[in-house]
Amino acid sequence: MQAEAEERYEAFHTECPARDVVDHVTSRWGIWVLISLRSNDLRFYELRKSIQGISEKMLAQTLRALVQDGLVWRKVEPTTPPQVTYGLTEFGRDVGEPLTELFDRITRRLSPRSAGARPAH
């Protein structure tokens, strides 16, 4: 039993399932979804409004991946139209905590002037 508890994924192996989760979490939008859900459960449109620049399609794809990975839960209310709410699972809170800390550290260190002075992409 002890050997099972110490068994870990081989993260540098291309077939490692943990790599997919890391890819989803660190994707362009995955981080923002996890940070946006850190303190509140949000409905789809609220989540989209909170993450400026994300398209409906990309939000739906990102949420689908994070739900499949077990980081985000999805609840559908049978209304017309259906109301869909998303929130973080325990796993999602655990993974999202260091991302939130990273985001908070970065925003504390950046002055509003330096953040606005970024070159355009």
Side-chain angles (χ1 to χ4, degrees):
M1 192 62 141
Q2 183 68 16
E4 284 182 33
E6 292 178 13
E7 190 175 322
R8 298 179 57 93
Y9 286 108
E10 189 59 48
F12 292 100
H13 190 277
T14 57
E15 300 299 317
C16 178
R19 285 181 86 157
D20 288 336
V21 176
V22 170
D23 287 344
H24 297 152
V25 168
T26 61
S27 70
R28 177 172 184 189
W29 300 112
I31 290 172
W32 299 115
V33 168
L34 293 176
I35 290 173
S36 293
L37 291 173
R38 71 181 175 229
S39 54
N40 292 321
D41 302 338
L42 296 172
R43 294 196 4 216
F44 184 89
Y45 80 91
E46 294 170 322
L47 196 49
R48 182 165 180 235
K49 189 176 178 182
S50 75
I51 306 171
Q52 293 184 7
I54 192 169
S55 69
E56 221 171 279
K57 178 183 175 182
M58 286 309 304
L59 179 56
Q61 287 177 355
T62 302
L63 285 167
R64 196 174 303 116
L66 295 174
V67 167
Q68 188 174 12
D69 293 338
L71 297 162
V72 171
W73 56 260
R74 178 181 189 265
K75 179 181 175 190
V76 179
E77 293 290 332
T79 59
T80 306
Q83 294 182 0
V84 184
T85 305
Y86 295 89
L88 295 179
T89 63
E90 184 179 334
F91 182 35
R93 283 190 301 277
D94 190 38
V95 169
E97 187 177 323
L99 297 175
T100 299
E101 288 176 18
L102 175 65
F103 177 75
D104 290 343
R105 285 180 188 199
I106 290 169
T107 55
R108 277 195 309 268
R109 297 286 291 223
L110 285 179
S111 70
R113 196 174 329 153
S114 67
R118 285 186 43 205
H121 291 259

PDB file of all heavy atoms in Angstrom, residues 69-105:
ATOM      1  N   ASP A  69     -11.121  17.366 -16.609  1.00  0.00           N
ATOM      2  CA  ASP A  69      -9.956  17.120 -15.757  1.00  0.00           C
ATOM      3  C   ASP A  69     -10.304  17.061 -14.271  1.00  0.00           C
ATOM      4  O   ASP A  69      -9.455  16.731 -13.450  1.00  0.00           O
ATOM      5  CB  ASP A  69      -8.906  18.224 -15.956  1.00  0.00           C
ATOM      6  CG  ASP A  69      -8.282  18.192 -17.338  1.00  0.00           C
ATOM      7  OD1 ASP A  69      -8.305  17.134 -17.997  1.00  0.00           O
ATOM      8  OD2 ASP A  69      -7.753  19.245 -17.765  1.00  0.00           O
ATOM      9  N   GLY A  70     -11.535  17.430 -13.917  1.00  0.00           N
ATOM     10  CA  GLY A  70     -11.951  17.397 -12.513  1.00  0.00           C
ATOM     11  C   GLY A  70     -11.576  18.636 -11.734  1.00  0.00           C
ATOM     12  O   GLY A  70     -11.635  18.636 -10.497  1.00  0.00           O
ATOM     13  N   LEU A  71     -11.220  19.716 -12.412  1.00  0.00           N
ATOM     14  CA  LEU A  71     -10.846  20.960 -11.739  1.00  0.00           C
ATOM     15  C   LEU A  71     -12.040  21.885 -11.527  1.00  0.00           C
ATOM     16  O   LEU A  71     -12.053  22.693 -10.597  1.00  0.00           O
ATOM     17  CB  LEU A  71      -9.788  21.707 -12.569  1.00  0.00           C
ATOM     18  CG  LEU A  71      -8.467  20.963 -12.737  1.00  0.00           C
ATOM     19  CD1 LEU A  71      -7.670  21.538 -13.893  1.00  0.00           C
ATOM     20  CD2 LEU A  71      -7.670  21.037 -11.452  1.00  0.00           C
ATOM     21  N   VAL A  72     -13.020  21.782 -12.399  1.00  0.00           N
ATOM     22  CA  VAL A  72     -14.206  22.640 -12.368  1.00  0.00           C
ATOM     23  C   VAL A  72     -15.439  21.754 -12.410  1.00  0.00           C
ATOM     24  O   VAL A  72     -15.460  20.742 -13.096  1.00  0.00           O
ATOM     25  CB  VAL A  72     -14.190  23.609 -13.590  1.00  0.00           C
ATOM     26  CG1 VAL A  72     -15.500  24.373 -13.715  1.00  0.00           C
ATOM     27  CG2 VAL A  72     -13.011  24.576 -13.505  1.00  0.00           C
ATOM     28  N   TRP A  73     -16.471  22.133 -11.640  1.00  0.00           N
ATOM     29  CA  TRP A  73     -17.756  21.440 -11.718  1.00  0.00           C
ATOM     30  C   TRP A  73     -18.723  22.295 -12.520  1.00  0.00           C
ATOM     31  O   TRP A  73     -18.555  23.500 -12.644  1.00  0.00           O
ATOM     32  CB  TRP A  73     -18.326  21.086 -10.355  1.00  0.00           C
ATOM     33  CG  TRP A  73     -18.501  22.236  -9.401  1.00  0.00           C
ATOM     34  CD1 TRP A  73     -17.664  22.578  -8.379  1.00  0.00           C
ATOM     35  CD2 TRP A  73     -19.576  23.185  -9.382  1.00  0.00           C
ATOM     36  NE1 TRP A  73     -18.145  23.682  -7.726  1.00  0.00           N
ATOM     37  CE2 TRP A  73     -19.313  24.079  -8.327  1.00  0.00           C
ATOM     38  CE3 TRP A  73     -20.712  23.387 -10.150  1.00  0.00           C
ATOM     39  CZ2 TRP A  73     -20.160  25.149  -8.014  1.00  0.00           C
ATOM     40  CZ3 TRP A  73     -21.559  24.452  -9.848  1.00  0.00           C
ATOM     41  CH2 TRP A  73     -21.281  25.311  -8.790  1.00  0.00           C
ATOM     42  N   ARG A  74     -19.736  21.639 -13.059  1.00  0.00           N
ATOM     43  CA  ARG A  74     -20.738  22.295 -13.916  1.00  0.00           C
ATOM     44  C   ARG A  74     -22.116  21.869 -13.453  1.00  0.00           C
ATOM     45  O   ARG A  74     -22.382  20.677 -13.284  1.00  0.00           O
ATOM     46  CB  ARG A  74     -20.495  21.853 -15.355  1.00  0.00           C
ATOM     47  CG  ARG A  74     -21.455  22.373 -16.372  1.00  0.00           C
ATOM     48  CD  ARG A  74     -21.052  21.807 -17.750  1.00  0.00           C
ATOM     49  NE  ARG A  74     -21.798  22.424 -18.817  1.00  0.00           N
ATOM     50  CZ  ARG A  74     -22.897  21.941 -19.356  1.00  0.00           C
ATOM     51  NH1 ARG A  74     -23.392  20.787 -18.900  1.00  0.00           N
ATOM     52  NH2 ARG A  74     -23.512  22.568 -20.324  1.00  0.00           N
ATOM     53  N   LYS A  75     -22.994  22.849 -13.239  1.00  0.00           N
ATOM     54  CA  LYS A  75     -24.360  22.555 -12.812  1.00  0.00           C
ATOM     55  C   LYS A  75     -25.319  23.235 -13.786  1.00  0.00           C
ATOM     56  O   LYS A  75     -25.210  24.433 -14.038  1.00  0.00           O
ATOM     57  CB  LYS A  75     -24.600  23.095 -11.399  1.00  0.00           C
ATOM     58  CG  LYS A  75     -25.994  22.860 -10.882  1.00  0.00           C
ATOM     59  CD  LYS A  75     -26.148  23.451  -9.494  1.00  0.00           C
ATOM     60  CE  LYS A  75     -27.591  23.326  -9.030  1.00  0.00           C
ATOM     61  NZ  LYS A  75     -27.801  24.106  -7.800  1.00  0.00           N
ATOM     62  N   VAL A  76     -26.260  22.457 -14.324  1.00  0.00           N
ATOM     63  CA  VAL A  76     -27.229  22.978 -15.283  1.00  0.00           C
ATOM     64  C   VAL A  76     -28.594  23.039 -14.609  1.00  0.00           C
ATOM     65  O   VAL A  76     -29.099  22.033 -14.109  1.00  0.00           O
ATOM     66  CB  VAL A  76     -27.308  22.084 -16.542  1.00  0.00           C
ATOM     67  CG1 VAL A  76     -28.332  22.633 -17.523  1.00  0.00           C
ATOM     68  CG2 VAL A  76     -25.945  21.958 -17.195  1.00  0.00           C
ATOM     69  N   GLU A  77     -29.194  24.242 -14.606  1.00  0.00           N
ATOM     70  CA  GLU A  77     -30.550  24.427 -14.095  1.00  0.00           C
ATOM     71  C   GLU A  77     -31.508  24.246 -15.269  1.00  0.00           C
ATOM     72  O   GLU A  77     -31.330  24.900 -16.308  1.00  0.00           O
ATOM     73  CB  GLU A  77     -30.720  25.828 -13.506  1.00  0.00           C
ATOM     74  CG  GLU A  77     -29.897  26.071 -12.249  1.00  0.00           C
ATOM     75  CD  GLU A  77     -30.393  25.294 -11.051  1.00  0.00           C
ATOM     76  OE1 GLU A  77     -31.603  24.992 -10.966  1.00  0.00           O
ATOM     77  OE2 GLU A  77     -29.561  24.964 -10.199  1.00  0.00           O
ATOM     78  N   PRO A  78     -32.505  23.398 -15.126  1.00  0.00           N
ATOM     79  CA  PRO A  78     -33.421  23.132 -16.247  1.00  0.00           C
ATOM     80  C   PRO A  78     -34.445  24.245 -16.447  1.00  0.00           C
ATOM     81  O   PRO A  78     -35.626  24.070 -16.225  1.00  0.00           O
ATOM     82  CB  PRO A  78     -34.078  21.812 -15.838  1.00  0.00           C
ATOM     83  CG  PRO A  78     -34.053  21.840 -14.348  1.00  0.00           C
ATOM     84  CD  PRO A  78     -32.803  22.583 -13.967  1.00  0.00           C
ATOM     85  N   THR A  79     -33.950  25.407 -16.842  1.00  0.00           N
ATOM     86  CA  THR A  79     -34.820  26.533 -17.138  1.00  0.00           C
ATOM     87  C   THR A  79     -34.747  26.808 -18.631  1.00  0.00           C
ATOM     88  O   THR A  79     -33.984  26.181 -19.351  1.00  0.00           O
ATOM     89  CB  THR A  79     -34.368  27.780 -16.361  1.00  0.00           C
ATOM     90  OG1 THR A  79     -33.018  28.084 -16.729  1.00  0.00           O
ATOM     91  CG2 THR A  79     -34.443  27.571 -14.853  1.00  0.00           C
ATOM     92  N   THR A  80     -35.519  27.770 -19.103  1.00  0.00           N
ATOM     93  CA  THR A  80     -35.449  28.147 -20.510  1.00  0.00           C
ATOM     94  C   THR A  80     -35.033  29.599 -20.586  1.00  0.00           C
ATOM     95  O   THR A  80     -35.785  30.453 -20.144  1.00  0.00           O
ATOM     96  CB  THR A  80     -36.818  27.960 -21.197  1.00  0.00           C
ATOM     97  OG1 THR A  80     -37.251  26.622 -20.978  1.00  0.00           O
ATOM     98  CG2 THR A  80     -36.739  28.232 -22.674  1.00  0.00           C
ATOM     99  N   PRO A  81     -33.853  29.923 -21.095  1.00  0.00           N
ATOM    100  CA  PRO A  81     -32.792  28.990 -21.484  1.00  0.00           C
ATOM    101  C   PRO A  81     -32.120  28.395 -20.242  1.00  0.00           C
ATOM    102  O   PRO A  81     -32.235  28.955 -19.155  1.00  0.00           O
ATOM    103  CB  PRO A  81     -31.817  29.882 -22.262  1.00  0.00           C
ATOM    104  CG  PRO A  81     -31.991  31.245 -21.677  1.00  0.00           C
ATOM    105  CD  PRO A  81     -33.460  31.330 -21.287  1.00  0.00           C
ATOM    106  N   PRO A  82     -31.415  27.278 -20.404  1.00  0.00           N
ATOM    107  CA  PRO A  82     -30.757  26.655 -19.248  1.00  0.00           C
ATOM    108  C   PRO A  82     -29.734  27.604 -18.613  1.00  0.00           C
ATOM    109  O   PRO A  82     -29.051  28.329 -19.320  1.00  0.00           O
ATOM    110  CB  PRO A  82     -30.050  25.440 -19.840  1.00  0.00           C
ATOM    111  CG  PRO A  82     -30.664  25.226 -21.169  1.00  0.00           C
ATOM    112  CD  PRO A  82     -31.191  26.536 -21.633  1.00  0.00           C
ATOM    113  N   GLN A  83     -29.702  27.603 -17.290  1.00  0.00           N
ATOM    114  CA  GLN A  83     -28.692  28.381 -16.560  1.00  0.00           C
ATOM    115  C   GLN A  83     -27.589  27.420 -16.147  1.00  0.00           C
ATOM    116  O   GLN A  83     -27.846  26.452 -15.447  1.00  0.00           O
ATOM    117  CB  GLN A  83     -29.299  29.045 -15.332  1.00  0.00           C
ATOM    118  CG  GLN A  83     -30.321  30.103 -15.664  1.00  0.00           C
ATOM    119  CD  GLN A  83     -30.870  30.762 -14.417  1.00  0.00           C
ATOM    120  OE1 GLN A  83     -30.499  30.433 -13.303  1.00  0.00           O
ATOM    121  NE2 GLN A  83     -31.778  31.700 -14.609  1.00  0.00           N
ATOM    122  N   VAL A  84     -26.369  27.709 -16.604  1.00  0.00           N
ATOM    123  CA  VAL A  84     -25.234  26.838 -16.320  1.00  0.00           C
ATOM    124  C   VAL A  84     -24.277  27.584 -15.402  1.00  0.00           C
ATOM    125  O   VAL A  84     -23.850  28.700 -15.701  1.00  0.00           O
ATOM    126  CB  VAL A  84     -24.521  26.406 -17.618  1.00  0.00           C
ATOM    127  CG1 VAL A  84     -23.398  25.433 -17.306  1.00  0.00           C
ATOM    128  CG2 VAL A  84     -25.513  25.783 -18.591  1.00  0.00           C
ATOM    129  N   THR A  85     -23.971  26.981 -14.276  1.00  0.00           N
ATOM    130  CA  THR A  85     -23.086  27.572 -13.281  1.00  0.00           C
ATOM    131  C   THR A  85     -21.843  26.707 -13.166  1.00  0.00           C
ATOM    132  O   THR A  85     -21.911  25.483 -13.252  1.00  0.00           O
ATOM    133  CB  THR A  85     -23.791  27.657 -11.910  1.00  0.00           C
ATOM    134  OG1 THR A  85     -25.020  28.366 -12.065  1.00  0.00           O
ATOM    135  CG2 THR A  85     -22.912  28.372 -10.884  1.00  0.00           C
ATOM    136  N   TYR A  86     -20.693  27.375 -12.962  1.00  0.00           N
ATOM    137  CA  TYR A  86     -19.407  26.698 -12.827  1.00  0.00           C
ATOM    138  C   TYR A  86     -18.758  27.103 -11.514  1.00  0.00           C
ATOM    139  O   TYR A  86     -18.928  28.225 -11.041  1.00  0.00           O
ATOM    140  CB  TYR A  86     -18.476  27.077 -13.981  1.00  0.00           C
ATOM    141  CG  TYR A  86     -18.965  26.615 -15.318  1.00  0.00           C
ATOM    142  CD1 TYR A  86     -19.802  27.411 -16.095  1.00  0.00           C
ATOM    143  CD2 TYR A  86     -18.613  25.361 -15.806  1.00  0.00           C
ATOM    144  CE1 TYR A  86     -20.277  26.978 -17.323  1.00  0.00           C
ATOM    145  CE2 TYR A  86     -19.086  24.922 -17.039  1.00  0.00           C
ATOM    146  CZ  TYR A  86     -19.906  25.737 -17.785  1.00  0.00           C
ATOM    147  OH  TYR A  86     -20.378  25.311 -19.003  1.00  0.00           O
ATOM    148  N   GLY A  87     -17.995  26.188 -10.946  1.00  0.00           N
ATOM    149  CA  GLY A  87     -17.238  26.459  -9.732  1.00  0.00           C
ATOM    150  C   GLY A  87     -16.048  25.533  -9.665  1.00  0.00           C
ATOM    151  O   GLY A  87     -15.909  24.601 -10.463  1.00  0.00           O
ATOM    152  N   LEU A  88     -15.174  25.804  -8.710  1.00  0.00           N
ATOM    153  CA  LEU A  88     -13.973  24.985  -8.544  1.00  0.00           C
ATOM    154  C   LEU A  88     -14.251  23.778  -7.655  1.00  0.00           C
ATOM    155  O   LEU A  88     -14.905  23.900  -6.621  1.00  0.00           O
ATOM    156  CB  LEU A  88     -12.847  25.806  -7.921  1.00  0.00           C
ATOM    157  CG  LEU A  88     -12.298  26.958  -8.750  1.00  0.00           C
ATOM    158  CD1 LEU A  88     -11.210  27.692  -7.973  1.00  0.00           C
ATOM    159  CD2 LEU A  88     -11.765  26.465 -10.079  1.00  0.00           C
ATOM    160  N   THR A  89     -13.748  22.644  -8.065  1.00  0.00           N
ATOM    161  CA  THR A  89     -13.762  21.458  -7.215  1.00  0.00           C
ATOM    162  C   THR A  89     -12.654  21.630  -6.176  1.00  0.00           C
ATOM    163  O   THR A  89     -11.870  22.586  -6.233  1.00  0.00           O
ATOM    164  CB  THR A  89     -13.485  20.192  -8.040  1.00  0.00           C
ATOM    165  OG1 THR A  89     -12.164  20.291  -8.589  1.00  0.00           O
ATOM    166  CG2 THR A  89     -14.515  19.998  -9.141  1.00  0.00           C
ATOM    167  N   GLU A  90     -12.560  20.694  -5.261  1.00  0.00           N
ATOM    168  CA  GLU A  90     -11.468  20.738  -4.281  1.00  0.00           C
ATOM    169  C   GLU A  90     -10.113  20.683  -5.006  1.00  0.00           C
ATOM    170  O   GLU A  90      -9.186  21.419  -4.667  1.00  0.00           O
ATOM    171  CB  GLU A  90     -11.594  19.573  -3.299  1.00  0.00           C
ATOM    172  CG  GLU A  90     -10.558  19.600  -2.194  1.00  0.00           C
ATOM    173  CD  GLU A  90     -10.727  18.437  -1.223  1.00  0.00           C
ATOM    174  OE1 GLU A  90     -11.845  17.920  -1.075  1.00  0.00           O
ATOM    175  OE2 GLU A  90      -9.704  18.063  -0.621  1.00  0.00           O
ATOM    176  N   PHE A  91     -10.032  19.829  -6.013  1.00  0.00           N
ATOM    177  CA  PHE A  91      -8.815  19.720  -6.834  1.00  0.00           C
ATOM    178  C   PHE A  91      -8.535  21.053  -7.536  1.00  0.00           C
ATOM    179  O   PHE A  91      -7.401  21.537  -7.563  1.00  0.00           O
ATOM    180  CB  PHE A  91      -8.990  18.587  -7.841  1.00  0.00           C
ATOM    181  CG  PHE A  91      -7.813  18.312  -8.743  1.00  0.00           C
ATOM    182  CD1 PHE A  91      -6.502  18.458  -8.309  1.00  0.00           C
ATOM    183  CD2 PHE A  91      -8.028  17.877 -10.039  1.00  0.00           C
ATOM    184  CE1 PHE A  91      -5.426  18.192  -9.154  1.00  0.00           C
ATOM    185  CE2 PHE A  91      -6.968  17.601 -10.895  1.00  0.00           C
ATOM    186  CZ  PHE A  91      -5.663  17.766 -10.444  1.00  0.00           C
ATOM    187  N   GLY A  92      -9.570  21.682  -8.078  1.00  0.00           N
ATOM    188  CA  GLY A  92      -9.413  22.970  -8.746  1.00  0.00           C
ATOM    189  C   GLY A  92      -8.948  24.062  -7.802  1.00  0.00           C
ATOM    190  O   GLY A  92      -8.108  24.897  -8.161  1.00  0.00           O
ATOM    191  N   ARG A  93      -9.473  24.077  -6.583  1.00  0.00           N
ATOM    192  CA  ARG A  93      -9.021  25.062  -5.582  1.00  0.00           C
ATOM    193  C   ARG A  93      -7.563  24.825  -5.228  1.00  0.00           C
ATOM    194  O   ARG A  93      -6.779  25.761  -5.094  1.00  0.00           O
ATOM    195  CB  ARG A  93      -9.897  24.997  -4.328  1.00  0.00           C
ATOM    196  CG  ARG A  93     -11.247  25.667  -4.498  1.00  0.00           C
ATOM    197  CD  ARG A  93     -11.991  25.814  -3.171  1.00  0.00           C
ATOM    198  NE  ARG A  93     -12.241  24.537  -2.511  1.00  0.00           N
ATOM    199  CZ  ARG A  93     -13.253  23.721  -2.795  1.00  0.00           C
ATOM    200  NH1 ARG A  93     -14.112  24.049  -3.726  1.00  0.00           N
ATOM    201  NH2 ARG A  93     -13.413  22.598  -2.142  1.00  0.00           N
ATOM    202  N   ASP A  94      -7.204  23.553  -5.083  1.00  0.00           N
ATOM    203  CA  ASP A  94      -5.825  23.200  -4.746  1.00  0.00           C
ATOM    204  C   ASP A  94      -4.859  23.642  -5.846  1.00  0.00           C
ATOM    205  O   ASP A  94      -3.812  24.219  -5.572  1.00  0.00           O
ATOM    206  CB  ASP A  94      -5.733  21.692  -4.507  1.00  0.00           C
ATOM    207  CG  ASP A  94      -4.409  21.266  -3.913  1.00  0.00           C
ATOM    208  OD1 ASP A  94      -3.861  21.994  -3.067  1.00  0.00           O
ATOM    209  OD2 ASP A  94      -3.927  20.178  -4.294  1.00  0.00           O
ATOM    210  N   VAL A  95      -5.218  23.378  -7.095  1.00  0.00           N
ATOM    211  CA  VAL A  95      -4.373  23.753  -8.227  1.00  0.00           C
ATOM    212  C   VAL A  95      -4.400  25.269  -8.447  1.00  0.00           C
ATOM    213  O   VAL A  95      -3.389  25.882  -8.774  1.00  0.00           O
ATOM    214  CB  VAL A  95      -4.820  23.007  -9.510  1.00  0.00           C
ATOM    215  CG1 VAL A  95      -4.148  23.571 -10.742  1.00  0.00           C
ATOM    216  CG2 VAL A  95      -4.537  21.516  -9.377  1.00  0.00           C
ATOM    217  N   GLY A  96      -5.574  25.877  -8.264  1.00  0.00           N
ATOM    218  CA  GLY A  96      -5.720  27.308  -8.520  1.00  0.00           C
ATOM    219  C   GLY A  96      -5.064  28.207  -7.494  1.00  0.00           C
ATOM    220  O   GLY A  96      -4.719  29.349  -7.798  1.00  0.00           O
ATOM    221  N   GLU A  97      -4.861  27.711  -6.273  1.00  0.00           N
ATOM    222  CA  GLU A  97      -4.281  28.544  -5.213  1.00  0.00           C
ATOM    223  C   GLU A  97      -2.910  29.116  -5.579  1.00  0.00           C
ATOM    224  O   GLU A  97      -2.701  30.325  -5.471  1.00  0.00           O
ATOM    225  CB  GLU A  97      -4.206  27.748  -3.906  1.00  0.00           C
ATOM    226  CG  GLU A  97      -3.782  28.582  -2.721  1.00  0.00           C
ATOM    227  CD  GLU A  97      -3.788  27.767  -1.440  1.00  0.00           C
ATOM    228  OE1 GLU A  97      -4.686  26.919  -1.270  1.00  0.00           O
ATOM    229  OE2 GLU A  97      -2.880  27.992  -0.622  1.00  0.00           O
ATOM    230  N   PRO A  98      -1.955  28.295  -6.036  1.00  0.00           N
ATOM    231  CA  PRO A  98      -0.665  28.889  -6.398  1.00  0.00           C
ATOM    232  C   PRO A  98      -0.767  29.821  -7.606  1.00  0.00           C
ATOM    233  O   PRO A  98      -0.002  30.783  -7.721  1.00  0.00           O
ATOM    234  CB  PRO A  98       0.240  27.694  -6.701  1.00  0.00           C
ATOM    235  CG  PRO A  98      -0.621  26.498  -6.730  1.00  0.00           C
ATOM    236  CD  PRO A  98      -1.922  26.835  -6.100  1.00  0.00           C
ATOM    237  N   LEU A  99      -1.718  29.570  -8.512  1.00  0.00           N
ATOM    238  CA  LEU A  99      -1.908  30.470  -9.655  1.00  0.00           C
ATOM    239  C   LEU A  99      -2.403  31.827  -9.180  1.00  0.00           C
ATOM    240  O   LEU A  99      -1.952  32.873  -9.665  1.00  0.00           O
ATOM    241  CB  LEU A  99      -2.894  29.876 -10.648  1.00  0.00           C
ATOM    242  CG  LEU A  99      -2.493  28.563 -11.304  1.00  0.00           C
ATOM    243  CD1 LEU A  99      -3.624  28.038 -12.165  1.00  0.00           C
ATOM    244  CD2 LEU A  99      -1.222  28.730 -12.112  1.00  0.00           C
ATOM    245  N   THR A 100      -3.321  31.806  -8.222  1.00  0.00           N
ATOM    246  CA  THR A 100      -3.830  33.049  -7.655  1.00  0.00           C
ATOM    247  C   THR A 100      -2.716  33.792  -6.934  1.00  0.00           C
ATOM    248  O   THR A 100      -2.585  35.012  -7.056  1.00  0.00           O
ATOM    249  CB  THR A 100      -5.003  32.748  -6.695  1.00  0.00           C
ATOM    250  OG1 THR A 100      -6.038  32.128  -7.449  1.00  0.00           O
ATOM    251  CG2 THR A 100      -5.531  34.003  -6.047  1.00  0.00           C
ATOM    252  N   GLU A 101      -1.903  33.063  -6.172  1.00  0.00           N
ATOM    253  CA  GLU A 101      -0.768  33.695  -5.477  1.00  0.00           C
ATOM    254  C   GLU A 101       0.199  34.310  -6.478  1.00  0.00           C
ATOM    255  O   GLU A 101       0.693  35.421  -6.275  1.00  0.00           O
ATOM    256  CB  GLU A 101      -0.046  32.673  -4.598  1.00  0.00           C
ATOM    257  CG  GLU A 101      -0.825  32.272  -3.373  1.00  0.00           C
ATOM    258  CD  GLU A 101      -0.127  31.185  -2.573  1.00  0.00           C
ATOM    259  OE1 GLU A 101       1.097  30.978  -2.767  1.00  0.00           O
ATOM    260  OE2 GLU A 101      -0.806  30.540  -1.751  1.00  0.00           O
ATOM    261  N   LEU A 102       0.484  33.598  -7.569  1.00  0.00           N
ATOM    262  CA  LEU A 102       1.362  34.119  -8.613  1.00  0.00           C
ATOM    263  C   LEU A 102       0.776  35.400  -9.207  1.00  0.00           C
ATOM    264  O   LEU A 102       1.470  36.411  -9.351  1.00  0.00           O
ATOM    265  CB  LEU A 102       1.566  33.067  -9.705  1.00  0.00           C
ATOM    266  CG  LEU A 102       2.375  33.499 -10.922  1.00  0.00           C
ATOM    267  CD1 LEU A 102       3.812  33.817 -10.534  1.00  0.00           C
ATOM    268  CD2 LEU A 102       2.325  32.413 -11.986  1.00  0.00           C
ATOM    269  N   PHE A 103      -0.505  35.367  -9.565  1.00  0.00           N
ATOM    270  CA  PHE A 103      -1.177  36.537 -10.118  1.00  0.00           C
ATOM    271  C   PHE A 103      -1.111  37.712  -9.140  1.00  0.00           C
ATOM    272  O   PHE A 103      -0.783  38.845  -9.524  1.00  0.00           O
ATOM    273  CB  PHE A 103      -2.631  36.184 -10.441  1.00  0.00           C
ATOM    274  CG  PHE A 103      -3.433  37.336 -10.947  1.00  0.00           C
ATOM    275  CD1 PHE A 103      -3.259  37.801 -12.241  1.00  0.00           C
ATOM    276  CD2 PHE A 103      -4.363  37.956 -10.137  1.00  0.00           C
ATOM    277  CE1 PHE A 103      -4.002  38.866 -12.720  1.00  0.00           C
ATOM    278  CE2 PHE A 103      -5.107  39.014 -10.605  1.00  0.00           C
ATOM    279  CZ  PHE A 103      -4.928  39.477 -11.897  1.00  0.00           C
ATOM    280  N   ASP A 104      -1.391  37.453  -7.854  1.00  0.00           N
ATOM    281  CA  ASP A 104      -1.359  38.510  -6.847  1.00  0.00           C
ATOM    282  C   ASP A 104       0.048  39.085  -6.683  1.00  0.00           C
ATOM    283  O   ASP A 104       0.219  40.299  -6.558  1.00  0.00           O
ATOM    284  CB  ASP A 104      -1.877  38.004  -5.501  1.00  0.00           C
ATOM    285  CG  ASP A 104      -3.380  37.735  -5.525  1.00  0.00           C
ATOM    286  OD1 ASP A 104      -4.069  38.229  -6.445  1.00  0.00           O
ATOM    287  OD2 ASP A 104      -3.859  37.019  -4.619  1.00  0.00           O
ATOM    288  N   ARG A 105       1.058  38.223  -6.706  1.00  0.00           N
ATOM    289  CA  ARG A 105       2.443  38.707  -6.599  1.00  0.00           C
ATOM    290  C   ARG A 105       2.815  39.590  -7.780  1.00  0.00           C
ATOM    291  O   ARG A 105       3.450  40.628  -7.633  1.00  0.00           O
ATOM    292  CB  ARG A 105       3.419  37.543  -6.529  1.00  0.00           C
ATOM    293  CG  ARG A 105       3.425  36.849  -5.201  1.00  0.00           C
ATOM    294  CD  ARG A 105       4.398  35.708  -5.201  1.00  0.00           C
ATOM    295  NE  ARG A 105       4.248  34.947  -3.977  1.00  0.00           N
ATOM    296  CZ  ARG A 105       5.159  34.124  -3.518  1.00  0.00           C
ATOM    297  NH1 ARG A 105       6.265  33.924  -4.194  1.00  0.00           N
ATOM    298  NH2 ARG A 105       4.956  33.472  -2.404  1.00  0.00           N
TER     299      ARG A 105
END
